[in-house]
Amino acid sequence: MGMPGGMRTDLDPPLPAHLQVEVTSACNLRCTMCLVRYRPPVNKLAGAMAPDLFHRLVSDVPLRQLTLQGLGEPLLSPYLPEMIAAAVRRGIRVGFNTNATLLTRKRAEELVASRVDWLHVSLDGASAAAYERIRDGARFETVIDNLAGLVRAKRAAGSATPWIRVVFVAMRDNVAELPELVRLLDRIGVDELRVQNLSHSFDDTDPAGRYEEIRTFTADQALWTGADRERAEAAFAAARRVAAHSGVRVRLPRFDDEGGGGCTWPWDAAYVTSTGVVQPCCMVMGDDRVSLGDLTESGFPEIWRGEPYREFRRRLSSAEPPEVCRGCSLYRHTF
């Protein structure tokens, strides 16, 4: 979800056309930049969003787009196929991000046949050494084979969908791998590479609290602080040069912090955790950081029009935004 231009100041917008839904909080990896690594493991079944909650939510909102991902790995949800099918039946554009470790040939063929609109694959390196240091628990070779298998399945079906995009989280440990990754994706036949910065500084959290580890990690690895800027910009420039002679579209993030503002997430969309907690966006991470309502207690339209949402919008459109927004790289235009 991007950040459209222009500040919104109205407090009672229409119901959103886009939702991002965490279909499961369970994951099979412990990635260094993800909150999942710093929390107790979640059982595959216990972490899945209940189908009745999902279907009620989708029925309550006039959706045009549905993103089926959160902190967990969507392919671990046993209900993912029926969720995709429900969106397709309603004419809703639908897709999700996966770590691709479970994207077997059979799953790839099923996903192509499902008419899912897009599929993003997380790939944070062009070598096994760099990738496996970050994506703890994954095998680089397996993920590359699965990604190539997805491209083959799409071609074999003669399908225009899913749009296949690789997502690369740029950090000090891996940014030099970018040019080679563009070459690798060109050989595989991937449509697009999206490079993004780490999503949040976590500066609003207690330095000694439960977010201490991810806060420390981010401070060490984030590129937006200016450290290693020259090396990162050189890697970005090299990636652009390789992309110019390839079939891969490359989107690169910005470094310059514009001071924040202009975010319209709480007017245009919402993020819902697997347990039904409604949050203002997908960048927050951690359902204890901000909650605007609970779908086990209220319907989405009631929450959307409720006072907590109104107050959040009011503060976000002011000169004193919520603390949780101030360290957000989307809010600060560096994502």
Side-chain angles (χ1 to χ4, degrees):
M1 179 72 182
M3 184 189 293
M7 178 68 76
R8 295 283 296 271
T9 57
D10 52 314
L11 302 182
D12 294 298
L15 288 170
H18 175 213
L19 288 180
Q20 181 165 336
V21 177
E22 183 183 52
V23 295
T24 181
S25 56
C27 194
N28 58 335
L29 302 184
R30 308 289 284 177
C31 304
T32 55
M33 67 296 201
C34 182
L35 192 60
V36 168
R37 181 183 184 89
Y38 310 103
R39 295 286 182 269
V42 177
N43 177 273
K44 175 180 173 180
L45 289 177
M49 173 177 274
D52 60 335
L53 180 62
F54 172 82
H55 291 297
R56 177 160 51 86
L57 175 61
V58 172
S59 297
D60 280 350
V61 187
L63 292 173
R64 293 197 298 272
Q65 182 167 314
L66 183 61
T67 302
L68 300 176
Q69 71 195 50
L71 289 177
E73 166 51 45
L75 291 179
L76 282 174
S77 170
Y79 312 116
L80 181 65
E82 73 173 86
M83 292 174 171
I84 294 171
V88 171
R89 279 196 307 272
R90 291 172 178 268
I92 301 167
R93 290 190 70 251
V94 61
F96 63 94
N97 192 100
T98 175
N99 61 39
T101 57
L102 306 175
L103 191 60
T104 61
R105 176 178 174 179
K106 181 173 183 291
R107 291 301 294 270
E109 291 172 348
E110 289 171 350
L111 284 167
V112 172
S114 76
R115 293 164 51 201
V116 69
D117 289 280
W118 75 88
L119 198 55
H120 298 171
V121 172
S122 296
L123 188 58
D124 308 294
S127 66
Y131 171 81
E132 290 172 8
R133 273 198 307 271
I134 295 166
R135 297 274 167 180
D136 189 2
R139 287 187 67 249
F140 180 74
E141 184 179 341
T142 299
V143 170
I144 294 301
D145 287 348
N146 289 351
L147 178 58
L150 175 64
V151 172
R152 287 194 299 270
K154 179 180 171 181
R155 288 174 177 169
S159 178
T161 56
W163 177 262
I164 301 170
R165 171 191 283 169
V166 161
V167 178
F168 176 100
V169 180
M171 298 174 280
R172 290 177 185 156
D173 281 352
N174 68 348
V175 70
E177 302 254 315
L178 265 177
E180 187 54 41
L181 181 61
V182 176
R183 295 186 185 94
L184 174 60
L185 298 184
D186 189 40
R187 291 195 296 271
I188 293 172
V190 168
D191 301 318
E192 182 181 358
L193 169 63
R194 179 191 170 99
V195 182
Q196 62 191 46
N197 276 314
L198 290 165
S199 62
H200 212 287
S201 68
F202 295 92
D203 282 351
D204 60 295
T205 63
D206 178 357
R210 64 194 305 254
Y211 289 87
E212 176 186 8
E213 290 175 297
I214 195 167
R215 177 178 171 139
T216 301
F217 173 85
T218 301
D220 180 62
Q221 288 293 320
L223 296 171
W224 63 64
T225 59
D228 296 330
R229 177 72 61 88
E230 187 175 323
R231 190 167 66 93
E233 288 181 340
F236 284 8
R240 284 192 198 96
R241 288 194 296 271
V242 175
H245 301 286
S246 78
V248 184
R249 298 185 192 181
V250 176
R251 181 271 187 193
L252 295 164
R254 295 159 59 170
F255 286 127
D256 297 326
D257 186 335
E258 297 180 358
C263 179
T264 62
W265 253 95
W267 287 266
D268 299 334
Y271 178 83
V272 181
T273 73
S274 60
T275 59
V277 174
V278 178
Q279 297 188 291
C281 73
C282 67
M283 305 292 282
V284 170
M285 286 197 283
D287 58 11
D288 59 329
R289 300 185 76 199
V290 57
S291 172
L292 300 177
D294 190 327
L295 291 175
T296 63
E297 300 170 359
S298 308
F300 184 86
E302 179 185 348
I303 293 170
W304 182 255
R305 297 174 182 129
E307 188 51 36
Y309 240 121
R310 287 170 55 84
E311 176 61 17
F312 195 91
R313 294 183 189 112
R314 185 182 295 112
R315 291 193 60 199
L316 187 57
S317 59
S318 76
E320 293 294 327
E323 287 289 332
V324 74
C325 298
R326 298 180 192 188
C328 170
S329 58
L330 189 60
Y331 179 79
R332 305 192 72 83
H333 307 274
T334 57
F335 192 56

